[in-house]
Amino acid sequence: MTNTVPPMHQALGLAAQALFISSPNPRVGCVLIGSDGRLVGQGFTQQAGGPHAEVMALRDAQARGQDTQGATAYVTLEPCSHHGRTGPCCDALIAAGVAKVVGALTDPNPLVAGQGFARLRAAGIEVEVGPGATESRELNIGFFSRMVRGQPWVRMKAASSLDGVTALHNGQSQWITSAEARADGHAWRARACTILTGVGTVLEDNPRLNVREVSTPRQPRVAVVDSHLDTPPDALVVQAPGGCLIYTSSTDAARSEALQARGATVIPMAHPGGKVDLAAMLRDLATRGTNELHVEAGFKLNGSLLREGLVDELLLYYAPQLLGTGGMGIANLGPLDTLSQGPSLDLHEVRRIGPDLRILARMRGRADF
């Protein structure tokens, strides 16, 4: 049967299926269409070390008994051209005899960066670049951030009442938002490479910070900002399924050894002021393959990240309830003297999740890289 869905749209849908599995690799989909307009094969990138989208599509074509000679490959990111844990996808497409490749975007990875498209053209394959570019970049904004800026895309999540209260004066916060909102928040956890929190949250709540409300084959690691290494060795985050990183400015060898004995990785990252150097921490997380950093912390760490200009977007859930004064807010920004001192944001997406409201708000101009 002739393919009726626009091939690049179909490829983007396939790429979305890699949302929870491909990190630190990008989320990529590939569709092969024969010269007669029929679907030949399709696939998306698997877990790190597994086959990429193009190879999956070629395997699918083989399983279907379809000939790829003269086909057009629609792929949501430039086929890779280097040997990593897998071979170059551009070579696989050349060997398969495809006649044309339609790619959404050039890969920002310096190891590729146009070389895949160049190798395809050198082999006599027609190359078109551009369709689906906006959607593909949005799906891979963390990967682009890591490759272009050398730091993850930082997404700060908070849940509050309509008047911005995240917890009562006595610390009670479970649950301000609905079960639907909590499940949605876990889906955002699942797509992240690392979940960041502060030691205050660890001491007060002893959270697990893993993904439980949605199905995922991969658990993100947890990172803790802990200047004095106050994290208890038996804290739940220390034994997080994806691993635990503790960033500190402490030189207390005994505390460090106790945490590392329980499986945590302690990383000295001191700022001259005595606290953890948060900007350096982001750069370190990037070297460890973090594309998207999901922040679930208290108002102190949230405030520090915002004041230092390190947050890219806010993921905010608002419950239809008023909790009044005396509670805690999303972030401690300190007293502002003028309205212009507050961070400026653009509303990227507004959706209703169950009875609650979800707002994705981006720091103005932050995605322009």
Side-chain angles (χ1 to χ4, degrees):
M1 184 174 67
T2 301
N3 195 51
T4 57
V5 179
M8 185 56 77
H9 181 76
Q10 188 174 353
L12 288 164
L14 288 164
Q17 294 186 49
L19 193 66
F20 296 168
I21 67 171
S22 68
S23 295
N25 292 332
R27 299 137 181 169
V28 182
C30 178
V31 171
L32 299 171
I33 301 296
S35 58
D36 58 357
R38 295 176 183 272
L39 177 67
V40 173
Q42 59 184 355
F44 55 89
T45 300
Q46 302 298 297
Q47 289 177 294
H52 293 181
E54 298 90 333
V55 172
M56 291 296 293
L58 291 170
R59 289 181 181 177
D60 183 46
Q62 185 179 35
R64 294 169 183 254
Q66 297 293 323
D67 186 5
T68 57
Q69 195 73 31
T72 297
Y74 294 82
V75 59
T76 59
L77 192 67
E78 176 183 10
C80 64
S81 56
H82 65 292
H83 286 273
R85 283 181 280 191
T86 61
C89 290
C90 61
D91 289 355
L93 292 172
I94 292 169
V98 302
K100 181 178 180 178
V101 172
V102 180
L105 284 166
T106 299
D107 192 331
N109 187 341
L111 296 175
V112 185
Q115 296 178 63
F117 287 144
R119 192 178 297 182
L120 291 167
R121 290 188 177 104
I125 296 172
E126 182 184 353
V127 174
E128 179 185 349
V129 183
T134 300
E135 296 88 342
S136 179
R137 189 178 189 275
E138 188 64 33
L139 190 63
N140 290 295
I141 195 162
F143 180 74
F144 273 76
S145 176
R146 180 165 66 91
M147 289 297 159
V148 176
R149 303 190 302 176
Q151 64 185 51
W153 179 258
V154 179
R155 181 180 297 114
M156 179 180 290
K157 179 258 183 182
S160 75
S161 60
L162 276 182
D163 51 350
V165 175
T166 61
L168 300 180
H169 65 90
N170 58 9
Q172 183 181 349
S173 62
Q174 295 182 345
W175 298 101
I176 291 176
T177 51
S178 65
E180 294 93 332
R182 294 195 297 276
D184 190 73
H186 275 245
W188 287 91
R189 280 186 186 181
R191 66 176 284 166
C193 301
T194 304
I195 299 172
L196 178 71
T197 195
V199 67
T201 299
V202 173
L203 294 174
E204 291 171 19
D205 301 334
N206 193 22
R208 284 177 283 178
L209 290 180
N210 59 358
V211 179
R212 302 183 300 279
E213 301 293 333
V214 297
S215 177
T216 178
R218 176 192 62 87
Q219 287 285 348
R221 70 164 66 93
V222 174
V224 181
V225 176
D226 183 359
S227 296
H228 304 296
L229 287 182
D230 291 325
T231 300
D234 60 353
L236 292 174
V237 293
V238 172
Q239 298 180 50
C244 178
L245 308 175
I246 299 179
Y247 289 92
T248 188
S249 53
S250 173
T251 57
D252 190 319
R255 292 191 177 191
S256 177
E257 289 170 5
L259 287 164
Q260 294 190 86
R262 298 299 293 268
T265 300
V266 177
I267 305 165
M269 196 69 70
H271 189 276
K275 300 288 187 179
V276 172
D277 188 330
L278 297 177
M281 176 191 71
L282 294 186
R283 293 191 293 271
D284 182 76
L285 283 167
T287 66
R288 297 173 188 270
T290 299
N291 294 333
E292 296 182 15
L293 180 66
H294 181 91
V295 181
E296 291 198 28
F299 72 102
K300 290 182 180 179
L301 179 55
N302 285 351
S304 296
L305 290 166
L306 286 165
R307 286 194 303 274
E308 294 188 31
L310 301 176
V311 178
D312 296 309
E313 69 183 3
L314 301 178
L315 175 65
L316 304 176
Y317 296 88
Y318 288 101
Q321 185 178 16
L322 301 177
L323 295 178
T325 60
M328 289 178 279
I330 292 169
N332 178 17
L333 291 176
L336 304 180
D337 297 319
T338 65
L339 294 176
S340 62
Q341 289 178 326
S344 296
L345 302 104
D346 293 315
L347 295 181
H348 184 66
E349 183 183 79
V350 178
R351 286 187 58 185
R352 184 167 177 170
I353 305 294
D356 303 319
L357 187 68
R358 186 186 78 192
I359 295 177
L360 198 62
R362 254 176 209 177
M363 295 296 170
R364 191 158 295 164
R366 190 56 63 92
D368 299 337
F369 55 82

